[in-house]
Amino acid sequence: MPDNIYAVLKDTIQSNDLEQSMHAIGEKRIHFTYCRSIVDQKLIDNEVLHRIQTSNAELDDVHALIRVIPLENTKASSDVDEIVQRLIRGFLFVQLEPDLHEGLLIDVADLKRGYRSNNEADNEYSVIGPKAGFVEDLDTNLNLLRKELVSEHLRFEEYIKGSLSQTRVVIVYVDGICNPDYVDTVRQRIADADFDVVFDSSLIDQVITDNANSPFPLYISTERVDRAKYCLLSGQVAVLSGGSPYVISGPSTVFDFFASPEDYYLPWVLASFFRCIRFMGVAFSILASPFYVAVLTFHYSVIPQELLGPIIESRANVPFPPLIEVLLLEITVDMLREAGARLPTKVGQTLGIVGGVVLGTAAVQAGLTSSILIIVVSLSALSSFVTPIFKMANTIRFLRFPFIALAAAWGGLGITMGFLLLIGHLLRLKSLGAPYLLPMFPFRIRDYADSFIRSPFSMTNYRQRYLRPLKLERYKVSKQKDRSDDYNHE
Amino acid sequence: MLNMVKENYRVSGFFVFFLIHASVIGAGALSFQHFMLDLSGYDTWIVVLLTGLSLHVILWMIFKMLGNPAKDVIDLHGFLFGKSVGRIVSLALVGYFLLLALTVFRGYIEIIQIWMFPHFPTWLLAFLLVCILYYAVSGGFRVIVGYCFFGLLFSSLLPFFLYFNLKYGHVNNLMPIFYHPVRELLASSKYSGIFFMGFESILLYFPFIKAPENNARWAHIGLLFVTLKYAALMFITFMYFSEGLLQHTFWPTFVMLKVIQLSFIERIEFIFICMWLVIIIPVLCLSIWSCTRIIKRTTNLKPTWSLLAILLAVFLAALPFDDRIKIHGLGVRMVEIGFYFVYAYIPLLFVLYVIRSKFSRTALKTVQPDA
């Protein structure tokens, strides 16, 4: 044990933000050591230095100091390693002369600086409903959850991950609802995972995933607080990580990615209709251009005569086979999307108009593509973004390319083959060990209440059975008097 | 000790409905009308109904002899014939399922070549299908059941299309009912094998069903559903075709679809031929899975390798069948073998099983390697 830790620290942390200062109070000399970049200077000035200066008590040793300082996280220590580890996490190390082999560690970390304080959930916007989203600060996120799920069963399990980042990773679940098997699986997988820096919770998503080679997202990832709450109360396990505004949650099924929180804020008839539109949009988005390629390359006899005319007319000047034509446009659209995501908002809008309108019209007029294909491609690009979860939208944008290739090679047969491979892939996928295609396969008829359609709340009072929740009932449905039945009562 | 198929590999009881449905509907639905016409003429739809009903008896036998405790036909062979003889008999079944898969496989390739791509080389198409089959079967039994489910979804679209044929059909074609003597009807039922080919794989996947004895009704419902579907299809076919025309039509179902005309789409049969792949994949998968299952249970060869070997065999065997006559011959042979397998071999097994279980008081105890 070194006699003079004060000097040792200077040599150990050779960084310029290490601040060491000495204060003389009466006859006492007090040494402060801290990392300037991570501490809250005001806290040191007001709550530590000021208290010591104005204290009437006799400050003989560090234990006497504890009584003076009104901060909770304090600890006396003489272990250099421990002190160093605390210093770089925002602790203040206070020593009183002449005991320079010992000192008091006080937590004065400023961990909120630089983070956004609020988030409008811009990437998962909904017109109706709360717009609060998660932010980068983990404590704020936990606060958002704890504040609105008032239950003693809401559990946070904290782990430190990342050898360099020392990120706090929190498993959240509702005890007594969530199946403990899923919690165990998540716990196990997070314990097994090794990181240097946890940049975002989607990194954890990819490491604890059941199949890292799948283009499909296996966990819901959301920045909306209401959606995260809904996942938790239906019996899923959520994982939050420090510095990430996204919550990942599982086990999720492929249908979860097409449900929007807004569905529950609209009347069920509308919500079901919109949900069906979404599924149609996805099918259209994946299959429209492959169908175009297949039909124009091999099966033109499938098109009725009246429709064949306009198609031939629009394609008469196009010098390319349908495959090249489609790839040209699809890749252009994808480039526009990629550029649009990177560009600042205002430039992006302009570029969208230039790319979408000018390029499209010019391409048709130059005879590079047919105008019908422009319609097909732009519609399928549009419909790929109807999915409420962005990760799924990306998957759907990707999926069409293998289908286009298969369609160009073997027409409708190729599309069917692609479909079979896709089905086979989806059937194999599992999220935390639960099949991904639930409730479609394995077929669970009672869970259809909230899948393709969003049934009225009187029918969704049970949790999804495929999540195997410990408590099935969410709320009680009271038998209501029929409010609309005037005819029988008049 | 008997049933070693682990709980998490098993499927819920009512999936037997999908399994039976998908494994039956795949093979013959396109051309069975043509196959069965020769002997019983327009009364064939009655034959279909009768065959379907007789299959319920066979299914009952299967559930009786494989149930309590659940076992597959390999255990049963071992129980009836002793370990080594039983093993040889089981291995002979590999040939049966291989032939079954080959018939369906080559039949579909022929349809593609005749209806859609006349110049599509057989080897390439066979290779593509084999790749898909490898991906499907290597997913395991649960994935195959998933394919069965999607096969059901797609094959359920067919009846909607047949509405158009109903519109143009004549009920008079079917009159008079029972024009053919019973003897001819029975002779025709021999060829009705074409429509139930494939359902025998229940002999292998039986222990994969959760509590199979309690779920026999799902199997029967599945069978009944298919039978009714086939009878209806037969009925509509005869309403639509004249007997003479039907004799010269190899794929009446597709020809019937040709008549459909919508404002945005024509030649529906093209779409249906493509979709037909989704419908036959379950039969192919189940047959090939049955082959690998038998090989795994009897020889301890790793399923990955036996699957590759079986698929290679199917691929190579599909190549020599290069014209209509050979393929038709393969189909007829297969139908005959299938007929004897179902109506002679399974009842024989059943009788042997009843006798054997009467004599041996001790419960059947064999050890399965784990699944």
Side-chain angles (χ1 to χ4, degrees), chain B residues 136-174:
Chain B
V137 178
S138 61
F141 186 66
R142 290 183 67 103
V143 170
I144 297 176
V145 182
Y147 276 110
C148 291
F149 174 72
F150 282 97
L152 175 88
L153 282 190
F154 277 79
S155 67
S156 301
L157 291 175
L158 181 65
F160 295 109
F161 288 127
L162 293 178
Y163 160 76
F164 292 87
N165 302 98
L166 215 53
K167 224 166 55 178
Y168 299 121
H170 305 283
V171 187
N172 294 348
N173 277 0
L174 295 152

Side-chain angles (χ1 to χ4, degrees), chain B residues 39-59:
Chain B
L39 293 164
S40 48
Y42 273 6
D43 284 336
T44 314
W45 64 275
I46 303 169
V47 181
V48 172
L49 274 180
L50 289 178
T51 316
L53 292 179
S54 70
L55 281 181
H56 282 284
V57 180
I58 302 289
L59 203 59

Side-chain angles (χ1 to χ4, degrees), chain B residues 35-332:
Chain B
F35 254 92
M36 291 168 64
L37 184 73
D38 294 346
L39 293 164
S40 48
Y42 273 6
D43 284 336
T44 314
W45 64 275
I46 303 169
V47 181
V48 172
L49 274 180
L50 289 178
T51 316
L53 292 179
S54 70
L55 281 181
H56 282 284
V57 180
I58 302 289
L59 203 59
W60 174 81
M61 287 181 186
I62 293 177
F63 270 83
K64 265 277 166 292
M65 61 186 177
L66 295 187
N68 285 325
K71 52 192 167 291
D72 58 14
V73 74
I74 302 160
D75 292 321
L76 192 69
H77 283 157
F79 175 58
L80 295 177
F81 308 127
K83 218 170 184 185
S84 43
V85 180
R87 189 172 287 184
I88 291 164
V89 178
S90 300
L91 277 175
L93 279 186
V94 174
Y96 176 76
F97 283 112
L98 194 63
L99 210 57
L100 179 61
L102 180 66
T103 314
V104 180
F105 187 79
R106 190 60 188 89
Y108 185 70
I109 292 178
E110 192 200 13
I111 289 170
I112 293 288
Q113 284 172 333
I114 288 179
W115 285 81
M116 278 173 70
F117 301 118
H119 303 296
F120 211 135
T122 308
W123 68 267
L124 180 58
L125 195 44
F127 178 72
L128 290 173
L129 288 182
V130 158
C131 290
I132 292 176
L133 280 174
Y134 179 79
Y135 188 68
V137 178
S138 61
F141 186 66
R142 290 183 67 103
V143 170
I144 297 176
V145 182
Y147 276 110
C148 291
F149 174 72
F150 282 97
L152 175 88
L153 282 190
F154 277 79
S155 67
S156 301
L157 291 175
L158 181 65
F160 295 109
F161 288 127
L162 293 178
Y163 160 76
F164 292 87
N165 302 98
L166 215 53
K167 224 166 55 178
Y168 299 121
H170 305 283
V171 187
N172 294 348
N173 277 0
L174 295 152
M175 299 299 168
I177 298 177
F178 287 120
Y179 177 73
H180 295 266
V182 176
R183 204 168 51 81
E184 280 178 24
L185 292 186
L186 287 181
S188 157
S189 74
K190 185 172 167 186
Y191 287 97
S192 63
I194 183 145
F195 95 77
F196 58 73
M197 279 194 322
F199 100 110
E200 306 87 293
S201 44
I202 193 177
L203 291 171
L204 274 309
Y205 66 69
F206 193 85
F208 281 79
I209 304 161
K210 278 179 196 159
E213 298 86 5
N214 305 334
N215 288 298
R217 66 200 155 107
W218 287 111
H220 286 285
I221 291 171
L223 193 57
L224 188 69
F225 185 50
V226 177
T227 311
L228 292 180
K229 227 162 152 178
Y230 269 118
L233 183 58
M234 197 64 136
F235 201 83
I236 293 169
T237 311
F238 287 137
M239 277 170 64
Y240 186 73
F241 286 98
S242 73
E243 192 163 348
L245 183 59
L246 196 54
Q247 239 148 22
H248 297 280
T249 314
F250 283 110
W251 294 280
T253 311
F254 285 153
V255 176
M256 285 201 298
L257 290 170
K258 279 178 87 147
V259 79
I260 302 169
Q261 213 169 12
L262 299 171
S263 61
F264 54 95
I265 208 160
E266 265 180 23
R267 302 290 301 268
I268 300 273
E269 82 271 15
F270 270 26
I271 298 170
F272 215 82
I273 290 169
C274 298
M275 264 165 51
W276 200 254
L277 183 58
V278 183
I279 298 169
I280 62 158
I281 277 284
V283 196
L284 287 170
C285 288
L286 277 174
S287 312
I288 287 168
W289 178 84
S290 303
C291 291
T292 56
R293 181 78 187 157
I294 298 171
I295 294 175
K296 184 194 169 189
R297 293 283 319 277
T298 49
T299 63
N300 282 331
L301 192 66
K302 229 176 136 189
T304 314
W305 298 113
S306 62
L307 175 60
L308 282 173
I310 294 284
L311 286 175
L312 186 69
V314 171
F315 173 70
L316 291 177
L319 299 183
F321 293 95
D322 48 7
D323 61 25
R324 185 78 262 269
I325 310 216
K326 286 183 196 165
I327 296 166
H328 188 74
L330 174 70
V332 172

